[in-house]
Amino acid sequence: MGKVIKKKRKKPAPALVLRLYVAGNAPNSVRAITNARAICDEHYPARYVLEIVDLIEHPDTAMADGIIVTPTLLKLQPQPVRRVVGNLDDTAQVLLTLVAT
Amino acid sequence: MKSKSPHPPVTKVLTGIEGFDEITDGGLPRARSTLVIGGPGCGKTVFALQSLVNGAHRAKEAGIFVAFEESTAQIIANAATFGWDLPALIKKKLFFMDAQLSPDVVKSGEFDLVGMLAMIRAKATELQATRIVFDGIDVLLGLLDDPVAERRELYRIRDWLIETGLTGIITQKAAALEGSHRYNYLQFMVDCVVVLRHQVIDGSAFRNLRVMKYRGSGFAADEFPITLTADGLRLTNRGPTELTYDVTDERISSGLPRLDHMLHGGYHRGSNVLISGAPGTAKSTLAGLFADAACTRGERTLYVSFDEGPAQIVRNLRSVGIQLAPHQKSGLLKLYSTRTRGPNVEDQFGELRAQVRTHRPTCLVIDPLSALSTKMAHLASADAAQQFLDFLKAEGITVVNTSLMDGLSTDEATATGISTIADTWIHLSYVVQDGERNRALTIVKSRGTGHSNQVRELKLADDGVTLADVFVAQGKVLMGVARWEWEQDERATKKRAQVAAELKRLQLQLSQAEAAARLQVIKTEMEARTAEIEVLALATGTASRLVATDREVLRTMRHADDEVAVAKNAAGKKVASIDRGRAV
């Protein structure tokens, strides 16, 4: 069902801006980076921006963004801002969030 | 830090929570994790926050509070009821971190706390914090929906605490603990486990605290009642261990002269008097007498009543000749009425304290204390009462409490609870017999004074209250009409006895007279006999003398010289024997 929605919205979709907070090379963080890239490459090829922030190096930014757990994925564009926590293993959940308004 | 060595001595961090530092002999384990478990509303958050705040205030230690369950704004707002001055602390010593995942957050796969701990570590370094609270972490970890992952994250926190040297408090809902063994490992994982329990007894809420384990340290393992005061949480039965009151030998009247006499002069000033009894045994009346007497002496008096309005009390007491209205008018007496089923016993004692502070009485009536003590079966309430009474004692206020109690032994908990705090205990009871109900008064105990052991009958009439002697007859205590009848009977019996004694006296006099008469007869007879004997002796003596004379004459005539001595001797013997006969 998620896929149906995705395809409908695919063409008018604006540029996707994401920020992924990770914690060094903690297993879940490493896995999240891989998963995020894979999902974006598959569903938004060449139309996304994925910023990866290492929380250990930038704790203040993370705190300002209200990050609690890692990894956390922030969808900054399109609005509204949405967030997904976890290593992004559940692709369907991620995609639902990305298209959610 | 020392804690990195394999078997470090346990150093402790004072929580500043009254009583807790005593039972744990110094507070929480430093640079270790303490788990605080409890159901909702137990005071977990208060416990954690309070130790953080106290650390900041007293030990000047900075702290971090990570809130998983409530927003930090909510927590700060809730804590405003305590006099902790959080806003001032937040600037310098405390940091509140919102760690509440918003409800619209989507979860995709596993997550961990590595990032969060990194952020906190940065903050801790910045603040030079030494204490940290993870409040309601189960809310966050529950999202993992994976016991193994949850466990891993908790171990992560524990190890992180050891590594950073922060003293940590982790609070966890007890609901997670009950029923499943899923969280049992938590207790093994941490160094100290504090269990908070919430229970409702007869509609009133009570909280308890128990230290379940404490690695490397002794502790008091009992469950202690806790209360929430204006300063936060405290273990209630850990009041001041030293009791230092000024005591006085001054006596003040109970308002009932005979009762004063029974107490060898009245109540001690500053003492605590308990008047217990069944409903309608005139407890309030005795309390009213005391108030009246106090005001008459010119003492400020506060009369606290439950469930009865001031006007009603004044009217009721007027019916037995106690006039409180003039004292009310003069301002000496203040009647304060409130409801018993208040939200909380402690709140009520707080109210009473405020009343005492504003009216500044030297005499106080609480009618009835048991209105509060229906909840006294529980230690917390008893302690709250104890504290209040201690406060009054410290102020030197003489207190008369009434307590609803049917018998002395029916409710051990209440009886012992109240008994220990009462200096003088007067018990009123009904004696039902012969279709009547009468009031009996006894003094159960009175510290520091002799007192009567007698039961008295308490009589109420329009013109006042009196005490009357009670009679015991044939193993029965007589009161009321029975006593009156017994008195009548007693009088009749006395009269009968008087008459009988008089009769007996007369009878005895008669026999005495008879005896005397008989004695006279015998005496007379005796005299007669004596006379007879004399006559007889006289006669016999003359005859023998005549015989002797005759023989002498005969010898002389015969010239028998050698036989004279023998004959003389024989004659002497004869005379002697006659003399003896007369004397007998």
Short mmCIF file of all heavy atoms in Angstrom, two decimals, chain B residues 248-254 259-271 297 299 398 424 446-451:
data_model
loop_
_atom_site.label_atom_id
_atom_site.label_comp_id
_atom_site.label_asym_id
_atom_site.label_seq_id
_atom_site.Cartn_x
_atom_site.Cartn_y
_atom_site.Cartn_z
N THR B 248 6.88 21.25 82.90
CA THR B 248 6.52 22.07 84.04
C THR B 248 5.65 21.23 84.97
O THR B 248 5.00 20.29 84.54
CB THR B 248 5.77 23.33 83.59
OG1 THR B 248 5.10 23.88 84.72
CG2 THR B 248 4.76 23.03 82.51
N ASP B 249 5.66 21.58 86.22
CA ASP B 249 4.80 20.90 87.19
C ASP B 249 3.47 21.62 87.35
O ASP B 249 2.63 21.22 88.14
CB ASP B 249 5.50 20.78 88.55
CG ASP B 249 6.51 19.64 88.53
OD1 ASP B 249 6.27 18.67 87.78
OD2 ASP B 249 7.52 19.73 89.24
N GLU B 250 3.34 22.71 86.59
CA GLU B 250 2.13 23.49 86.73
C GLU B 250 0.91 22.66 86.33
O GLU B 250 0.94 21.93 85.34
CB GLU B 250 2.22 24.73 85.84
CG GLU B 250 1.09 25.71 86.08
CD GLU B 250 1.05 26.82 85.04
OE1 GLU B 250 2.07 27.06 84.38
OE2 GLU B 250 -0.02 27.43 84.91
N ARG B 251 -0.13 22.78 87.13
CA ARG B 251 -1.37 22.06 86.81
C ARG B 251 -2.41 23.06 86.34
O ARG B 251 -2.49 24.17 86.87
CB ARG B 251 -1.91 21.33 88.04
CG ARG B 251 -0.96 20.34 88.66
CD ARG B 251 -0.67 19.20 87.71
NE ARG B 251 0.12 18.19 88.38
CZ ARG B 251 -0.31 16.98 88.66
NH1 ARG B 251 -1.53 16.61 88.33
NH2 ARG B 251 0.47 16.11 89.25
N ILE B 252 -3.20 22.63 85.37
CA ILE B 252 -4.33 23.47 85.00
C ILE B 252 -5.60 22.64 85.08
O ILE B 252 -5.58 21.43 84.90
CB ILE B 252 -4.16 24.11 83.61
CG1 ILE B 252 -3.89 23.06 82.54
CG2 ILE B 252 -3.05 25.13 83.61
CD1 ILE B 252 -3.81 23.64 81.15
N SER B 253 -6.65 23.33 85.35
CA SER B 253 -7.90 22.63 85.64
C SER B 253 -8.48 21.98 84.40
O SER B 253 -8.41 22.51 83.29
CB SER B 253 -8.92 23.59 86.23
OG SER B 253 -10.17 22.93 86.37
N SER B 254 -9.06 20.83 84.61
CA SER B 254 -9.76 20.14 83.53
C SER B 254 -11.14 20.75 83.33
O SER B 254 -11.83 20.43 82.39
CB SER B 254 -9.91 18.65 83.88
OG SER B 254 -10.74 18.52 85.02
N LEU B 259 -12.60 15.80 88.82
CA LEU B 259 -11.62 15.17 87.95
C LEU B 259 -10.22 15.70 88.27
O LEU B 259 -9.25 14.94 88.32
CB LEU B 259 -11.97 15.43 86.48
CG LEU B 259 -11.04 14.82 85.43
CD1 LEU B 259 -10.94 13.31 85.59
CD2 LEU B 259 -11.50 15.16 84.02
N ASP B 260 -10.15 16.99 88.56
CA ASP B 260 -8.88 17.58 88.98
C ASP B 260 -8.37 16.85 90.21
O ASP B 260 -7.18 16.54 90.33
CB ASP B 260 -9.04 19.07 89.32
CG ASP B 260 -9.30 19.90 88.07
OD1 ASP B 260 -9.08 19.36 86.97
OD2 ASP B 260 -9.72 21.05 88.21
N HIS B 261 -9.29 16.59 91.11
CA HIS B 261 -8.92 15.91 92.34
C HIS B 261 -8.42 14.49 92.05
O HIS B 261 -7.43 14.03 92.62
CB HIS B 261 -10.11 15.87 93.28
CG HIS B 261 -9.77 15.34 94.63
ND1 HIS B 261 -8.99 16.03 95.53
CD2 HIS B 261 -10.06 14.14 95.22
CE1 HIS B 261 -8.83 15.30 96.62
NE2 HIS B 261 -9.46 14.14 96.46
N MET B 262 -9.12 13.82 91.14
CA MET B 262 -8.71 12.47 90.77
C MET B 262 -7.30 12.47 90.16
O MET B 262 -6.56 11.50 90.26
CB MET B 262 -9.69 11.86 89.75
CG MET B 262 -11.01 11.42 90.34
SD MET B 262 -12.16 10.94 89.02
CE MET B 262 -11.56 9.29 88.63
N LEU B 263 -6.97 13.57 89.50
CA LEU B 263 -5.67 13.68 88.85
C LEU B 263 -4.64 14.37 89.75
O LEU B 263 -3.59 14.81 89.28
CB LEU B 263 -5.80 14.48 87.55
CG LEU B 263 -6.51 13.77 86.40
CD1 LEU B 263 -6.93 14.77 85.35
CD2 LEU B 263 -5.62 12.71 85.79
N HIS B 264 -5.00 14.49 91.00
CA HIS B 264 -4.12 15.13 91.98
C HIS B 264 -3.78 16.57 91.57
O HIS B 264 -2.63 16.99 91.66
CB HIS B 264 -2.82 14.33 92.19
CG HIS B 264 -3.08 12.99 92.81
ND1 HIS B 264 -2.12 12.27 93.45
CD2 HIS B 264 -4.20 12.24 92.87
CE1 HIS B 264 -2.63 11.13 93.89
NE2 HIS B 264 -3.89 11.10 93.55
N GLY B 265 -4.77 17.26 91.05
CA GLY B 265 -4.55 18.68 90.80
C GLY B 265 -4.88 19.17 89.39
O GLY B 265 -4.83 20.35 89.13
N GLY B 266 -5.17 18.27 88.49
CA GLY B 266 -5.53 18.70 87.14
C GLY B 266 -4.53 18.19 86.11
O GLY B 266 -3.67 17.38 86.42
N TYR B 267 -4.69 18.67 84.88
CA TYR B 267 -3.77 18.27 83.81
C TYR B 267 -2.44 19.01 83.98
O TYR B 267 -2.42 20.14 84.45
CB TYR B 267 -4.33 18.64 82.43
CG TYR B 267 -5.69 18.09 82.09
CD1 TYR B 267 -6.60 18.84 81.35
CD2 TYR B 267 -6.08 16.81 82.48
CE1 TYR B 267 -7.85 18.35 81.02
CE2 TYR B 267 -7.33 16.30 82.15
CZ TYR B 267 -8.21 17.08 81.42
OH TYR B 267 -9.44 16.58 81.09
N HIS B 268 -1.37 18.38 83.57
CA HIS B 268 -0.09 19.08 83.52
C HIS B 268 -0.12 20.08 82.37
O HIS B 268 -0.57 19.75 81.29
CB HIS B 268 1.06 18.09 83.25
CG HIS B 268 1.66 17.55 84.48
ND1 HIS B 268 1.74 16.19 84.73
CD2 HIS B 268 2.22 18.16 85.56
CE1 HIS B 268 2.32 16.00 85.90
NE2 HIS B 268 2.62 17.17 86.42
N ARG B 269 0.41 21.27 82.61
CA ARG B 269 0.47 22.21 81.49
C ARG B 269 1.42 21.68 80.43
O ARG B 269 2.48 21.14 80.73
CB ARG B 269 0.95 23.59 81.96
CG ARG B 269 0.96 24.59 80.81
CD ARG B 269 1.31 26.00 81.22
NE ARG B 269 0.29 26.68 82.02
CZ ARG B 269 -0.86 27.15 81.53
NH1 ARG B 269 -1.16 26.99 80.25
NH2 ARG B 269 -1.71 27.77 82.30
N GLY B 270 1.01 21.80 79.18
CA GLY B 270 1.85 21.34 78.07
C GLY B 270 1.72 19.85 77.80
O GLY B 270 2.40 19.32 76.95
N SER B 271 0.86 19.19 78.55
CA SER B 271 0.72 17.74 78.33
C SER B 271 -0.37 17.47 77.29
O SER B 271 -1.07 18.36 76.85
CB SER B 271 0.39 17.03 79.64
OG SER B 271 -0.93 17.33 80.03
N ARG B 297 -9.72 31.35 82.68
CA ARG B 297 -8.43 31.76 83.25
C ARG B 297 -7.77 32.85 82.40
O ARG B 297 -6.75 33.40 82.78
CB ARG B 297 -7.46 30.57 83.27
CG ARG B 297 -7.75 29.53 84.33
CD ARG B 297 -6.58 28.56 84.45
NE ARG B 297 -6.25 27.90 83.21
CZ ARG B 297 -6.78 26.76 82.79
NH1 ARG B 297 -7.70 26.16 83.54
NH2 ARG B 297 -6.43 26.21 81.66
N GLU B 299 -6.82 32.29 79.10
CA GLU B 299 -5.88 31.70 78.14
C GLU B 299 -6.50 31.63 76.75
O GLU B 299 -7.68 31.35 76.61
CB GLU B 299 -5.49 30.29 78.59
CG GLU B 299 -4.72 30.28 79.89
CD GLU B 299 -4.07 28.93 80.14
OE1 GLU B 299 -3.53 28.34 79.18
OE2 GLU B 299 -4.13 28.46 81.29
N THR B 398 -1.13 22.94 75.84
CA THR B 398 -1.84 21.83 76.47
C THR B 398 -2.93 21.37 75.51
O THR B 398 -3.73 22.18 75.04
CB THR B 398 -2.48 22.27 77.80
OG1 THR B 398 -1.50 23.00 78.52
CG2 THR B 398 -2.95 21.08 78.59
N THR B 424 -1.93 11.82 79.45
CA THR B 424 -3.03 11.44 80.33
C THR B 424 -4.13 10.87 79.46
O THR B 424 -4.45 11.42 78.42
CB THR B 424 -3.57 12.68 81.09
OG1 THR B 424 -2.53 13.19 81.90
CG2 THR B 424 -4.75 12.31 81.96
N SER B 446 -1.84 8.36 83.59
CA SER B 446 -1.49 9.76 83.68
C SER B 446 -0.02 9.84 84.04
O SER B 446 0.38 9.50 85.15
CB SER B 446 -2.36 10.46 84.72
OG SER B 446 -2.17 11.86 84.60
N ARG B 447 0.75 10.27 83.09
CA ARG B 447 2.20 10.31 83.29
C ARG B 447 2.58 11.36 84.30
O ARG B 447 2.09 12.48 84.25
CB ARG B 447 2.91 10.63 81.97
CG ARG B 447 2.96 9.47 81.02
CD ARG B 447 3.67 9.87 79.75
NE ARG B 447 3.64 8.80 78.77
CZ ARG B 447 3.60 8.99 77.45
NH1 ARG B 447 3.60 10.20 76.97
NH2 ARG B 447 3.58 7.97 76.64
N GLY B 448 3.47 11.00 85.17
CA GLY B 448 4.06 11.98 86.07
C GLY B 448 3.14 12.47 87.16
O GLY B 448 3.38 13.51 87.75
N THR B 449 2.10 11.74 87.44
CA THR B 449 1.23 12.15 88.53
C THR B 449 0.45 10.94 89.05
O THR B 449 0.12 10.05 88.29
CB THR B 449 0.24 13.25 88.09
OG1 THR B 449 -0.75 13.40 89.12
CG2 THR B 449 -0.45 12.93 86.82
N GLY B 450 0.22 10.96 90.35
CA GLY B 450 -0.64 9.93 90.89
C GLY B 450 -2.05 10.19 90.41
O GLY B 450 -2.38 11.31 90.02
N HIS B 451 -2.86 9.18 90.39
CA HIS B 451 -4.23 9.42 90.00
C HIS B 451 -5.13 8.34 90.58
O HIS B 451 -4.68 7.25 90.91
CB HIS B 451 -4.38 9.48 88.48
CG HIS B 451 -3.77 8.30 87.78
ND1 HIS B 451 -2.45 8.28 87.41
CD2 HIS B 451 -4.30 7.13 87.41
CE1 HIS B 451 -2.19 7.14 86.82
NE2 HIS B 451 -3.29 6.41 86.81
#
